[in-house]
Amino acid sequence: MLHVVLVTPEIPHNTGAAGRLCLATGARLHLIKPLGFSLDDRQVKRVGLDYWKDVDLQVWESWDEFRAGIDPDAGVYFLTTKTQQPHWDVAFNDGDYLVFGCETKGLPESLLEENPDQCLTIPMVEGSTRSLNLATSVGIVLYEAVRQIRS
């Protein structure tokens, strides 16, 4: 099972869409508080449609609680625009964690600095845009990991 981790997500429909992607791929969705919305928010449920109740969801109070609660041997990859290593250059494995930051700030600099070899990016044409939508990014990287694992 792959794991998608959203660190302090702010926009409910992105989380709903990420949940739907997780459900479609058999991945678990991890949300790390604080959240910028309530999980009862109708927008989360609307984007997740009637599938939201079926999403394999785990909510964590903090990054530290999350790290203490996962397999220490699992691969943990941090998606950011602040690296040059493309996501497709990594050999993903079953059980890996794909970590995405909040929509307005991305991941905390401290996480990126502590884990430079696990930082990945989705390549874009230089100068085209600052970043991609969170749910779009989850879909791109999650399906690349699924493709690799199932090949």
Side-chain angles (χ1 to χ4, degrees), residues 128-145:
S128 62
T129 184
R130 239 180 11 256
S131 63
L132 296 173
N133 170 274
L134 177 60
T136 300
S137 297
V138 169
I140 290 168
V141 179
L142 179 58
Y143 270 91
E144 172 60 17

PDB file of all heavy atoms in Angstrom, residues 128-145:
ATOM      1  N   SER A 128       6.970  28.846 -16.260  1.00  0.00           N
ATOM      2  CA  SER A 128       5.582  28.631 -16.675  1.00  0.00           C
ATOM      3  C   SER A 128       4.596  28.872 -15.535  1.00  0.00           C
ATOM      4  O   SER A 128       3.534  29.429 -15.741  1.00  0.00           O
ATOM      5  CB  SER A 128       5.406  27.212 -17.219  1.00  0.00           C
ATOM      6  OG  SER A 128       5.689  26.251 -16.217  1.00  0.00           O
ATOM      7  N   THR A 129       4.929  28.400 -14.347  1.00  0.00           N
ATOM      8  CA  THR A 129       4.057  28.541 -13.185  1.00  0.00           C
ATOM      9  C   THR A 129       4.880  28.284 -11.940  1.00  0.00           C
ATOM     10  O   THR A 129       5.907  27.617 -11.990  1.00  0.00           O
ATOM     11  CB  THR A 129       2.859  27.564 -13.261  1.00  0.00           C
ATOM     12  OG1 THR A 129       1.987  27.791 -12.160  1.00  0.00           O
ATOM     13  CG2 THR A 129       3.293  26.119 -13.265  1.00  0.00           C
ATOM     14  N   ARG A 130       4.424  28.801 -10.816  1.00  0.00           N
ATOM     15  CA  ARG A 130       5.127  28.595  -9.551  1.00  0.00           C
ATOM     16  C   ARG A 130       5.027  27.148  -9.088  1.00  0.00           C
ATOM     17  O   ARG A 130       5.981  26.568  -8.582  1.00  0.00           O
ATOM     18  CB  ARG A 130       4.510  29.504  -8.480  1.00  0.00           C
ATOM     19  CG  ARG A 130       5.427  30.461  -7.865  1.00  0.00           C
ATOM     20  CD  ARG A 130       4.795  31.350  -6.796  1.00  0.00           C
ATOM     21  NE  ARG A 130       3.465  31.018  -6.320  1.00  0.00           N
ATOM     22  CZ  ARG A 130       2.353  31.663  -6.655  1.00  0.00           C
ATOM     23  NH1 ARG A 130       2.398  32.687  -7.481  1.00  0.00           N
ATOM     24  NH2 ARG A 130       1.198  31.305  -6.167  1.00  0.00           N
ATOM     25  N   SER A 131       3.827  26.591  -9.208  1.00  0.00           N
ATOM     26  CA  SER A 131       3.595  25.230  -8.747  1.00  0.00           C
ATOM     27  C   SER A 131       2.296  24.710  -9.356  1.00  0.00           C
ATOM     28  O   SER A 131       1.562  25.454  -9.996  1.00  0.00           O
ATOM     29  CB  SER A 131       3.506  25.191  -7.218  1.00  0.00           C
ATOM     30  OG  SER A 131       2.403  25.957  -6.780  1.00  0.00           O
ATOM     31  N   LEU A 132       2.034  23.451  -9.135  1.00  0.00           N
ATOM     32  CA  LEU A 132       0.795  22.825  -9.597  1.00  0.00           C
ATOM     33  C   LEU A 132      -0.196  22.746  -8.445  1.00  0.00           C
ATOM     34  O   LEU A 132       0.176  22.806  -7.272  1.00  0.00           O
ATOM     35  CB  LEU A 132       1.084  21.414 -10.108  1.00  0.00           C
ATOM     36  CG  LEU A 132       1.987  21.318 -11.332  1.00  0.00           C
ATOM     37  CD1 LEU A 132       2.322  19.862 -11.617  1.00  0.00           C
ATOM     38  CD2 LEU A 132       1.350  21.975 -12.534  1.00  0.00           C
ATOM     39  N   ASN A 133      -1.455  22.554  -8.778  1.00  0.00           N
ATOM     40  CA  ASN A 133      -2.495  22.334  -7.784  1.00  0.00           C
ATOM     41  C   ASN A 133      -2.144  21.090  -6.958  1.00  0.00           C
ATOM     42  O   ASN A 133      -1.611  20.110  -7.484  1.00  0.00           O
ATOM     43  CB  ASN A 133      -3.830  22.160  -8.512  1.00  0.00           C
ATOM     44  CG  ASN A 133      -4.921  21.687  -7.611  1.00  0.00           C
ATOM     45  OD1 ASN A 133      -5.065  20.481  -7.405  1.00  0.00           O
ATOM     46  ND2 ASN A 133      -5.681  22.609  -7.071  1.00  0.00           N
ATOM     47  N   LEU A 134      -2.453  21.135  -5.676  1.00  0.00           N
ATOM     48  CA  LEU A 134      -2.111  20.040  -4.769  1.00  0.00           C
ATOM     49  C   LEU A 134      -2.694  18.706  -5.233  1.00  0.00           C
ATOM     50  O   LEU A 134      -1.983  17.700  -5.315  1.00  0.00           O
ATOM     51  CB  LEU A 134      -2.584  20.358  -3.345  1.00  0.00           C
ATOM     52  CG  LEU A 134      -2.364  19.268  -2.298  1.00  0.00           C
ATOM     53  CD1 LEU A 134      -0.893  18.920  -2.154  1.00  0.00           C
ATOM     54  CD2 LEU A 134      -2.960  19.705  -0.969  1.00  0.00           C
ATOM     55  N   ALA A 135      -3.967  18.666  -5.544  1.00  0.00           N
ATOM     56  CA  ALA A 135      -4.592  17.404  -5.957  1.00  0.00           C
ATOM     57  C   ALA A 135      -3.999  16.901  -7.279  1.00  0.00           C
ATOM     58  O   ALA A 135      -3.806  15.697  -7.457  1.00  0.00           O
ATOM     59  CB  ALA A 135      -6.100  17.566  -6.074  1.00  0.00           C
ATOM     60  N   THR A 136      -3.683  17.810  -8.177  1.00  0.00           N
ATOM     61  CA  THR A 136      -3.037  17.425  -9.437  1.00  0.00           C
ATOM     62  C   THR A 136      -1.672  16.804  -9.155  1.00  0.00           C
ATOM     63  O   THR A 136      -1.311  15.765  -9.723  1.00  0.00           O
ATOM     64  CB  THR A 136      -2.892  18.651 -10.364  1.00  0.00           C
ATOM     65  OG1 THR A 136      -4.187  19.168 -10.638  1.00  0.00           O
ATOM     66  CG2 THR A 136      -2.185  18.299 -11.651  1.00  0.00           C
ATOM     67  N   SER A 137      -0.922  17.429  -8.262  1.00  0.00           N
ATOM     68  CA  SER A 137       0.408  16.914  -7.900  1.00  0.00           C
ATOM     69  C   SER A 137       0.310  15.520  -7.286  1.00  0.00           C
ATOM     70  O   SER A 137       1.100  14.629  -7.616  1.00  0.00           O
ATOM     71  CB  SER A 137       1.091  17.865  -6.912  1.00  0.00           C
ATOM     72  OG  SER A 137       1.307  19.117  -7.513  1.00  0.00           O
ATOM     73  N   VAL A 138      -0.655  15.339  -6.395  1.00  0.00           N
ATOM     74  CA  VAL A 138      -0.854  14.020  -5.795  1.00  0.00           C
ATOM     75  C   VAL A 138      -1.125  12.995  -6.891  1.00  0.00           C
ATOM     76  O   VAL A 138      -0.525  11.922  -6.903  1.00  0.00           O
ATOM     77  CB  VAL A 138      -2.011  14.041  -4.771  1.00  0.00           C
ATOM     78  CG1 VAL A 138      -2.397  12.618  -4.351  1.00  0.00           C
ATOM     79  CG2 VAL A 138      -1.631  14.877  -3.551  1.00  0.00           C
ATOM     80  N   GLY A 139      -2.000  13.318  -7.827  1.00  0.00           N
ATOM     81  CA  GLY A 139      -2.329  12.389  -8.902  1.00  0.00           C
ATOM     82  C   GLY A 139      -1.125  12.020  -9.753  1.00  0.00           C
ATOM     83  O   GLY A 139      -0.915  10.849 -10.074  1.00  0.00           O
ATOM     84  N   ILE A 140      -0.325  12.997 -10.107  1.00  0.00           N
ATOM     85  CA  ILE A 140       0.849  12.747 -10.954  1.00  0.00           C
ATOM     86  C   ILE A 140       1.816  11.791 -10.265  1.00  0.00           C
ATOM     87  O   ILE A 140       2.251  10.782 -10.842  1.00  0.00           O
ATOM     88  CB  ILE A 140       1.551  14.077 -11.311  1.00  0.00           C
ATOM     89  CG1 ILE A 140       0.683  14.881 -12.275  1.00  0.00           C
ATOM     90  CG2 ILE A 140       2.934  13.825 -11.903  1.00  0.00           C
ATOM     91  CD1 ILE A 140       1.142  16.323 -12.461  1.00  0.00           C
ATOM     92  N   VAL A 141       2.178  12.101  -9.038  1.00  0.00           N
ATOM     93  CA  VAL A 141       3.198  11.310  -8.339  1.00  0.00           C
ATOM     94  C   VAL A 141       2.649   9.962  -7.892  1.00  0.00           C
ATOM     95  O   VAL A 141       3.320   8.933  -8.015  1.00  0.00           O
ATOM     96  CB  VAL A 141       3.790  12.103  -7.157  1.00  0.00           C
ATOM     97  CG1 VAL A 141       4.839  11.282  -6.418  1.00  0.00           C
ATOM     98  CG2 VAL A 141       4.403  13.415  -7.647  1.00  0.00           C
ATOM     99  N   LEU A 142       1.425   9.943  -7.391  1.00  0.00           N
ATOM    100  CA  LEU A 142       0.825   8.687  -6.944  1.00  0.00           C
ATOM    101  C   LEU A 142       0.723   7.692  -8.096  1.00  0.00           C
ATOM    102  O   LEU A 142       1.083   6.518  -7.948  1.00  0.00           O
ATOM    103  CB  LEU A 142      -0.551   8.956  -6.331  1.00  0.00           C
ATOM    104  CG  LEU A 142      -1.336   7.741  -5.836  1.00  0.00           C
ATOM    105  CD1 LEU A 142      -0.554   6.962  -4.786  1.00  0.00           C
ATOM    106  CD2 LEU A 142      -2.683   8.203  -5.280  1.00  0.00           C
ATOM    107  N   TYR A 143       0.273   8.143  -9.252  1.00  0.00           N
ATOM    108  CA  TYR A 143       0.135   7.213 -10.372  1.00  0.00           C
ATOM    109  C   TYR A 143       1.477   6.795 -10.953  1.00  0.00           C
ATOM    110  O   TYR A 143       1.607   5.679 -11.473  1.00  0.00           O
ATOM    111  CB  TYR A 143      -0.819   7.765 -11.436  1.00  0.00           C
ATOM    112  CG  TYR A 143      -2.238   7.329 -11.145  1.00  0.00           C
ATOM    113  CD1 TYR A 143      -3.083   8.112 -10.371  1.00  0.00           C
ATOM    114  CD2 TYR A 143      -2.710   6.098 -11.590  1.00  0.00           C
ATOM    115  CE1 TYR A 143      -4.364   7.698 -10.068  1.00  0.00           C
ATOM    116  CE2 TYR A 143      -3.999   5.679 -11.294  1.00  0.00           C
ATOM    117  CZ  TYR A 143      -4.820   6.481 -10.529  1.00  0.00           C
ATOM    118  OH  TYR A 143      -6.089   6.058 -10.224  1.00  0.00           O
ATOM    119  N   GLU A 144       2.497   7.622 -10.851  1.00  0.00           N
ATOM    120  CA  GLU A 144       3.841   7.184 -11.249  1.00  0.00           C
ATOM    121  C   GLU A 144       4.318   6.074 -10.311  1.00  0.00           C
ATOM    122  O   GLU A 144       4.882   5.073 -10.744  1.00  0.00           O
ATOM    123  CB  GLU A 144       4.836   8.340 -11.251  1.00  0.00           C
ATOM    124  CG  GLU A 144       6.286   7.924 -11.477  1.00  0.00           C
ATOM    125  CD  GLU A 144       6.584   7.204 -12.788  1.00  0.00           C
ATOM    126  OE1 GLU A 144       5.754   7.267 -13.737  1.00  0.00           O
ATOM    127  OE2 GLU A 144       7.662   6.594 -12.891  1.00  0.00           O
ATOM    128  N   ALA A 145       4.084   6.246  -9.012  1.00  0.00           N
ATOM    129  CA  ALA A 145       4.474   5.206  -8.046  1.00  0.00           C
ATOM    130  C   ALA A 145       3.701   3.921  -8.303  1.00  0.00           C
ATOM    131  O   ALA A 145       4.285   2.816  -8.304  1.00  0.00           O
ATOM    132  CB  ALA A 145       4.266   5.712  -6.621  1.00  0.00           C
TER     133      ALA A 145
END
